[in-house]
Amino acid sequence: MKQIFVGDIGSNDKLILVFAGWGMDERVFSRLSFAGYDMMVVWDYRNADLDLSALGAYREIYLFAWSFGVFAASLKMKELERFRIMLRVAINGSVTPVDDLTGIPEAIFQGTLNGLDERNLAKFYRRMCFDAQEYKQFVEMAPQRDIAELKSELRAIYDMSRDESVNVSPLAWDRAVISDGDRIFPSDNLVRSWMSLSRVRHIPGGHLPDFSKIIEQEIIDKELVAARFAGSAATYDGAAEIQGAMAEKLWRLVEPRIPGSAESLLEIGYGTGLLTKLYCRRLSGARITLWDLAPQKLEIEAETVKGDAEAMIADVGDRTVDIILSAATVQWFNNLPRFISIAATKLKRGGIMAISTFGPQNMAEITELTKMPLRYYTLEELKGMVPKSCATIVAEEEKAVMEFKSPREVMMHLRNTGVNALRHVDLGYASMAVGYPRVDGMCRLTYHPQYIIIKRKDDE
């Protein structure tokens, strides 16, 4: 395998790592640029050797793999686990790249290999693209590799896929994206290949995706989240009726379960202090630390830290915290299972972690309007994230529906609570006014609160 940085390499501590498809090189990705991120492309799978040493310089790594790159990245997954991989997204590919049911059917694969020449390569590229316009754009940055090299790469991919010692699993991935118009990997085969993965998203288009759009949709922009919440700080408490009720319920669930000898508490995403103000008197003798992307000034004795908790949690000492609290925040994390797993290691014996977040029906009306599903977990999925070192002592969910007289009122509610921090999701007034669903003339907005409390086992 070959790897190369593309674009300007700065003093960024975040990396987007892309495993390209067969026959590609860095040219295909040369126009991609994401502020705050370096970008590395891996390509040429004639062998499985890859130098990953450069990854150690990054605090956060976001892995995207496309087509046969999904299989190639799967081969390196155990090595990649040494680094801070925040998110792993597979796009239009499978861990079984040559398979009649879950990959490219073998007859088609062998036909491509045996008949590969300049003419058939051009046909492959046209099938890879969704339409003539996309093909024209692709040709402008098409890879520069010869036919003999491409044949050798196909043979190597096939041989590696048939190696019985290779152990790869779809469960090594966090999410998968499937283009419904894919003419390289049959979309039905991709659906079967990812049946065991709960986070699968379907998009329109062909095998070659819009990488810029997908990457921006899949990575939560924490700076945008911070900016939106900072902008809504003055209006948040008045508009965040549901979030306020969630904070009160979380505290009611937590208070009787607080360890009697609690000396330290970490609250993640304290916001305007809806939860903080409920516990600060009860725990006035404890060392309180507050984290937030957009810290607000509170009149309590605590250490306030600005930053991204999802990354910062790894730097907390193991078994040093009695209580970790987070109210209506973790839905903005890129990889919640990873966060919970790491955060659990920071709890002392008998320590507790209490989280409120939102379930899959949250803002269902927005999903219906934008056709962009928001990334929430079921309660069963949340419970499944709890590591063996901890016991689940509370797992509850509920629903609440707010009613508004018009789409404009819904939009103002979203802005006043800062919850519209999503890129590539049109929440403009025009789309809201025309398409927002109504029931009996009213515009409803569904909230789906969830609560989970876990406790570090004494015998661990």
Side-chain angles (χ1 to χ4, degrees), residues 132-425:
Q133 179 62 30
E134 190 173 274
Y135 177 66
K136 180 180 179 181
Q137 294 173 351
F138 172 77
V139 168
E140 293 175 359
M141 51 186 181
Q144 304 295 310
R145 300 176 62 187
D146 62 50
I147 295 298
E149 185 177 290
L150 296 183
K151 279 191 173 183
S152 177
E153 185 179 2
L154 273 183
R155 290 193 189 98
I157 291 169
Y158 183 81
D159 291 342
M160 286 186 283
S161 72
R162 292 299 182 264
D163 187 343
E164 294 183 357
S165 67
V166 170
N167 182 22
V168 294
S169 168
L171 295 178
W173 294 87
D174 298 306
R175 295 199 280 276
V177 178
I178 299 173
S179 291
D180 289 332
D182 196 325
R183 292 182 292 173
I184 303 300
F185 275 81
S187 58
D188 288 346
N189 284 15
L190 289 179
V191 169
R192 280 189 288 268
S193 75
W194 297 107
M195 285 182 64
S196 60
L197 192 68
S198 60
R199 324 307 291 178
V200 179
R201 181 161 68 93
H202 290 258
I203 61 173
H207 186 65
L208 177 66
D210 183 338
F211 287 102
S212 179
K213 187 173 184 178
I214 287 178
I215 290 172
E216 289 199 339
Q217 286 175 340
E218 292 295 335
I219 299 177
I220 295 292
D221 185 345
K222 301 294 180 66
E223 292 184 3
L224 178 59
V225 173
R228 293 287 170 82
F229 277 99
S232 68
T235 58
Y236 186 84
D237 287 2
E241 175 184 332
I242 302 298
Q243 291 85 345
M246 289 173 65
E248 292 176 1
K249 178 166 181 175
L250 185 64
W251 177 238
R252 289 198 303 271
L253 294 171
V254 170
E255 185 175 17
R257 296 173 171 87
I258 289 176
S261 58
E263 299 175 342
S264 58
L265 180 147
L266 169 62
E267 185 182 351
I268 291 168
Y270 72 93
T272 59
L274 291 178
L275 177 62
T276 318
K277 295 167 186 175
L278 298 176
Y279 68 71
C280 61
R281 290 185 180 179
R282 164 73 188 274
L283 296 169
S284 58
R287 183 178 70 256
I288 297 174
T289 304
L290 306 176
W291 288 357
D292 203 282
L293 287 169
Q296 303 297 310
K297 183 176 177 57
L298 300 181
E299 298 300 327
I300 69 168
E301 187 175 342
E303 178 188 6
T304 301
V305 181
K306 178 181 180 179
D308 179 4
E310 193 173 7
M312 291 162 55
I313 193 66
D315 298 325
V316 175
D318 289 352
R319 302 193 180 195
T320 59
V321 184
D322 291 298
I323 305 167
I324 297 176
L325 299 179
S326 183
T329 295
V330 299
Q331 66 273 11
W332 297 110
F333 287 4
N334 283 300
N335 194 326
L336 182 56
R338 178 182 182 275
F339 171 80
I340 289 178
S341 176
I342 294 174
T345 68
K346 313 307 176 183
L347 293 174
K348 296 179 183 178
R349 292 183 179 181
I352 63 171
M353 176 162 56
I355 293 172
S356 68
T357 184
F358 299 98
Q361 296 304 309
N362 200 61
M363 298 195 179
E365 298 82 3
I366 301 299
T367 297
E368 180 180 341
L369 178 65
T370 64
K371 309 303 180 187
M372 175 66 185
L374 305 179
R375 297 178 299 180
Y376 300 113
Y377 293 93
T378 67
L379 192 62
E380 287 303 310
E381 286 175 321
L382 282 179
K383 290 161 64 176
M385 298 175 197
V386 178
K388 294 180 180 179
S389 62
C390 297
T392 302
I393 54 178
V394 172
E396 298 183 10
E397 61 184 342
E398 58 194 8
K399 288 185 183 178
V401 178
M402 299 187 71
E403 289 193 338
F404 301 88
K405 294 180 180 179
S406 68
R408 182 181 292 277
E409 287 189 4
V410 177
M411 185 171 67
M412 292 306 299
H413 169 77
L414 294 174
R415 289 182 176 176
N416 289 339
T417 55
V419 299
N420 60 332
L422 296 170
R423 293 173 295 190
H424 284 295
V425 175

Side-chain angles (χ1 to χ4, degrees), residues 7-67:
D8 296 329
I9 306 303
S11 57
N12 299 309
D13 62 358
K14 295 182 287 188
L15 174 71
I16 294 173
L17 175 61
V18 177
F19 279 70
W22 163 73
M24 299 296 114
D25 62 18
E26 76 279 8
R27 284 171 51 87
V28 180
F29 303 90
S30 59
R31 297 178 183 176
L32 293 182
S33 179
F34 301 90
Y37 296 83
D38 289 345
M39 186 167 181
M40 176 188 284
V41 176
V42 177
W43 52 281
D44 190 352
Y45 305 129
R46 286 178 288 174
N47 64 66
D49 298 330
L50 181 62
D51 181 8
L52 298 173
S53 58
L55 274 58
Y58 293 94
R59 185 177 179 84
E60 300 177 27
I61 300 172
Y62 297 85
L63 170 61
F64 293 84
W66 168 52
S67 191

